[in-house]
Amino acid sequence: MMKYGSIAGGEKTTVQSARQILEEGGNAFDAAVGAVFTSMVSEFNLTGPGGGGAFLACPLNSEPILFDFFVDTPPPQPGKELDFFSVLVDFGPDQQEFHIGQGAAAVPGNTAGLLNVHQRLGQLPLKEVLLPAIEIARNGVTLNDAQGYLTKILKPILTHSSSGKALFAPKGDIIKPGEQFKNPAFADFLNELIRNGSDYFYKGDGAQFILNTIGSNGLITKESLSNYKVVERKPLISHYNGKTVYTNPTPSVGGTLITFTLQLLEKAQIKSNAGTMDLLKAMQVTAAARKDTSTKPNDHHQISQILNTDIFNKYLEKYKLSGSMNKGENDPPSSGATTQVSIIDKNGNAASVTTTNGEGCGYLIPELGVMLNNMLGEEDLNPSGFHNFSHQQRLPTMISPTVIMDDHRPELVLGSGGSNRIRSAILQVILNYFNKGMSLDEAVTTSRIHLEGNILHCEPDISSIIENKLPDEIQIHNWDVQNLFFGGVNAVTPNEAVGDSRRGGTGIVY
């Protein structure tokens, strides 16, 4: 039985910082906030103060709260000449094009959101919560293999600016696994947050540093920074397998799609023995429902219609019919530069927080040790095209912090990185754990599938079981090893904690 809590995160230093905070009397919300700020050093390729995220907080004996602090679009500025360009990132067998530049940066939310959660639900002073991150930023963290791989492939972005070269390639070459990464300017920035709160970043000197770096060829304005608001939402609630599922509501799309697929399996009454083919069919139906319903690219709440009884029942009938659906559309490519922290503390408080910085815009703010996001250059977040927004608004996202409760106590807390693979990764861990009776470690580490259009991506040992059962239009893409492409689920129960090895994750119960 745990003495302090169950913690899972994307890197051991991230998890250790949460442990330290719990040991000093903090609750799950203190620990999660501190762990995320630490991850901005230990997992700097995945998250940062200049990105966005969502925090699902489930305080003991209180209603859960979804803190939405994903990024905002700036106000439209038609005709403005933007610094916005593409770079190729080499993944070995494949290359992907990403759009970066000053014009790729959206209004960041992580800093405001995390400090808001701490102010609302934390127990310890902010100084104690941020201390582990400050110490690690000053003293350094050893780059692990997973982060080293990302640093290598993201080199064109990390070293695009001279200040980026100074931080990420201090000896002339990009830092490698086993080497120390230090970010003293980030430590100074965290001390400013302790003294002045988020106003420093959105209205004070920090905001001016942001504007100086973004310059006249970007879209972030003084007003868009000062107008940024964290939104507290009621989580999307559903019931599955006798449990209550809480996840991210619209304008996020991930939580809605996970809920829809779980409800298909629940209502079709095959959840107890759902196999890979049942899951594939459910993925096809979900993709079709999303395509059919999402007809207005700028209406980020439209996707919620698929859960309306009449619309849902139409797709449930399609699911029950034999045969397969028409192929869906391929999601735009993305590496899924996102990370997750999941915590249950000894009192039963639960925290699930997912944050991302995209791939970064390529411009480091030297005074803060911070690179802003490139969310305005992410195709999957801009379905109507780049820079085609009518007003400052929250961008949609697939991130889906999720908590599953039994009798009002957290039974499973999870979330994932992985862009559009987030929904399939979380879904399969839930099915593995609750339906197939796997341990949490097995549920997370078992090979996964992911459907994009008519391409079924399969991790090892799956395709040989199903290849003779697939409909003609489905093609298999086999992966020789488990890969970060398939997400990075970090999950905890009151007795288990597992960080996804696909992304270098770790977990502890103590």
Side-chain angles (χ1 to χ4, degrees), residues 388-460:
N388 287 332
F389 36 84
S390 58
H391 58 281
Q392 183 167 345
Q393 59 183 306
R394 193 74 21 113
L395 277 175
T397 173
M398 195 63 69
I399 60 176
S400 306
T402 299
V403 175
I404 300 178
M405 291 202 181
D406 185 22
D407 194 26
H408 304 291
R409 295 188 69 85
E411 189 165 346
L412 177 63
V413 179
L414 74 166
S416 181
S419 188
N420 57 305
R421 282 87 63 197
I422 287 174
R423 65 185 189 270
S424 58
I426 291 175
L427 180 68
Q428 286 168 89
V429 172
I430 292 173
L431 296 176
N432 288 342
Y433 186 75
F434 287 110
N435 296 42
K436 299 180 180 180
M438 295 182 183
S439 69
L440 187 60
D441 183 65
E442 292 174 316
V444 171
T445 59
T446 294
S447 288
R448 298 177 190 145
I449 63 172
H450 177 73
L451 182 68
E452 289 202 26
N454 65 340
I455 305 296
L456 181 65
H457 295 265
C458 296
E459 286 190 309

Side-chain angles (χ1 to χ4, degrees), residues 8-12 14-15 32 35-48 52-54 69 110 147 150 335-342 352-358 375 399-401 414-419 422 487-490 499-500 503-506:
E11 198 269 348
K12 67 178 182 179
T14 302
V15 171
V36 174
F37 275 111
T38 298
S39 73
M40 294 173 182
V41 183
S42 59
E43 304 170 59
F44 62 85
N45 290 299
L46 303 177
T47 188
F69 46 89
N110 277 341
Q147 291 302 313
L150 289 169
S335 68
T338 307
T339 192
Q340 165 73 20
V341 173
S342 300
S352 176
V353 53
T354 314
T355 59
T356 179
N357 202 39
M375 301 303 185
I399 60 176
S400 306
L414 74 166
S416 181
S419 188
I422 287 174
V489 178
N490 299 324
D500 201 326
R503 293 184 175 227
T506 188

Side-chain angles (χ1 to χ4, degrees), residues 101-363:
Q102 294 158 319
V107 183
N110 277 341
T111 301
L114 293 168
L115 295 191
N116 182 270
V117 171
H118 172 260
Q119 184 177 33
R120 289 270 281 108
L121 300 174
Q123 291 181 172
L124 293 179
L126 183 61
K127 182 177 181 180
E128 293 184 43
V129 170
L130 296 185
L131 182 59
I134 291 171
E135 291 179 339
I136 290 162
R138 289 209 190 282
N139 299 329
V141 62
T142 302
L143 207 66
N144 66 16
D145 289 340
Q147 291 302 313
Y149 168 74
L150 289 169
T151 301
K152 178 182 177 181
I153 65 174
L154 295 177
K155 178 181 177 181
I157 299 173
L158 296 174
T159 60
H160 175 71
S161 65
S162 58
S163 52
K165 290 176 183 175
L167 182 61
F168 300 115
K171 298 178 182 179
D173 196 9
I174 198 79
I175 52 176
K176 298 178 176 62
E179 295 182 345
Q180 289 287 105
F181 172 66
K182 298 180 181 181
N183 193 347
F186 182 66
D188 293 339
F189 165 61
L190 294 181
N191 278 314
E192 289 289 351
L193 294 183
I194 292 169
R195 287 189 286 267
N196 299 302
S198 61
D199 278 356
Y200 172 79
F201 193 66
Y202 291 88
K203 299 177 182 180
D205 289 345
Q208 190 57 54
F209 293 142
I210 292 172
L211 295 173
N212 291 346
T213 298
I214 292 302
S216 60
N217 297 121
L219 291 167
I220 294 178
T221 63
K222 178 179 179 180
E223 292 73 25
S224 64
L225 284 169
S226 63
N227 289 338
Y228 183 86
K229 295 289 186 285
V230 179
V231 182
E232 294 187 17
R233 303 188 191 278
K234 181 179 179 180
L236 177 58
I237 304 172
S238 62
H239 299 279
Y240 178 76
N241 208 32
K243 318 293 182 183
T244 304
V245 181
Y246 298 89
T247 191
N248 201 2
T250 56
S252 164
V253 298
T256 300
L257 296 175
I258 291 168
T259 300
F260 181 87
T261 308
L262 285 175
Q263 289 302 298
L264 281 179
L265 297 171
E266 174 94 1
K267 296 295 196 310
Q269 298 182 340
I270 63 165
K271 60 183 187 301
S272 61
N273 60 351
T276 303
M277 292 305 299
D278 297 309
L279 179 58
L280 171 59
K281 181 72 177 294
M283 287 178 170
Q284 285 185 292
V285 174
T286 302
R290 181 188 185 189
K291 179 182 176 183
D292 294 346
T293 307
S294 301
T295 57
K296 300 176 181 178
N298 282 315
D299 183 351
H300 304 320
H301 296 272
Q302 192 179 29
I303 186 67
S304 63
Q305 294 178 11
I306 66 175
L307 298 177
N308 293 348
T309 301
D310 54 342
I311 295 176
F312 175 84
N313 286 340
K314 179 179 74 171
Y315 290 99
L316 177 61
E317 289 305 309
K318 290 184 177 182
Y319 178 78
K320 290 178 178 179
L321 293 174
S322 60
S324 60
M325 301 291 297
N326 294 327
K327 75 170 186 175
E329 294 181 340
N330 287 319
D331 289 304
S334 174
S335 68
T338 307
T339 192
Q340 165 73 20
V341 173
S342 300
I343 301 177
I344 301 174
D345 68 23
K346 64 182 180 182
N347 295 318
N349 298 300
S352 176
V353 53
T354 314
T355 59
T356 179
N357 202 39
E359 288 73 39
C361 71
Y363 290 86

